[in-house]
Amino acid sequence: MKQIIVFCIILASAAGCSYHDLGCTENANLFETAVTLKIALGEKVCNVSGLAVRFEKVVNDSRCPKDVNCFTEGHVEVRLVVLNNDHPIGTLNLKSNQPLAELTIMERDYAFVLKSVSPYPVIGKATPPHKYRMVVEITPKGD
């Protein structure tokens, strides 16, 4: 009898889970209106209908380190994955020197603009992956 009660409690708790409980930061406006998001590497931001974006990886970071004079400023490239109920439906590589990308998601067009990636490189120090954050603007086209 105890096992049945414990099972029922666990089942009832699981039924009330939200996307936040499943590793998502909720944002009701995502893919509905223009939003600017600050996302940590590996973080996923979801809306209530199951659409989400995840900062997948830093593909390349060749930006000129702080306090160094470089001939070129370099660039950073990050990968953003769009998901529908945790299934990938689109992938974008956003670059600081080409910050705009467009993607059609469920028959609607969106503009993705990479605003920034932090932290900025420091000479002689590798950036630990968990420190990376990106700021991305996502806008439905026609809004």
Side-chain angles (χ1 to χ4, degrees):
M1 183 68 169
K2 272 186 177 179
Q3 293 172 332
I4 293 173
I5 292 171
V6 170
F7 176 75
C8 288
I9 291 170
I10 292 171
L11 187 60
S13 297
C17 287
S18 68
Y19 285 105
H20 182 71
D21 297 325
L22 299 174
C24 278
T25 301
E26 291 183 38
N27 186 313
N29 294 323
L30 181 63
F31 297 113
E32 298 299 325
T33 62
V35 294
T36 300
L37 305 172
K38 185 173 186 176
I39 311 173
L41 182 61
E43 183 181 6
K44 186 167 50 171
V45 179
C46 304
N47 70 11
V48 293
S49 66
L51 286 175
V53 292
R54 181 179 60 227
F55 181 0
E56 185 76 12
K57 72 185 278 186
V58 176
V59 176
N60 178 37
D61 191 353
S62 65
R63 294 175 291 175
C64 184
K66 287 181 184 179
D67 302 323
V68 175
N69 292 324
C70 299
F71 290 109
T72 63
E73 63 184 48
H75 75 277
V76 62
E77 180 178 355
V78 296
R79 181 164 300 145
L80 189 68
V81 176
V82 179
L83 306 120
N84 185 13
N85 294 314
D86 279 336
H87 299 289
I89 59 171
T91 301
L92 294 164
N93 279 15
L94 300 170
K95 301 176 183 181
S96 58
N97 60 347
Q98 297 171 333
L100 174 65
E102 295 181 356
L103 184 66
T104 301
I105 303 165
M106 301 177 80
E107 299 181 15
R108 191 167 180 194
D109 294 328
Y110 295 87
F112 293 76
V113 179
L114 180 63
K115 297 300 218 175
S116 66
V117 177
S118 61
Y120 214 81
V122 176
I123 193 157
K125 293 184 181 178
T127 302
H130 72 276
K131 297 275 188 182
Y132 276 105
R133 304 286 184 273
M134 70 180 290
V135 175
V136 63
E137 182 180 88
I138 303 171
T139 306
K141 299 285 278 195
D143 282 3

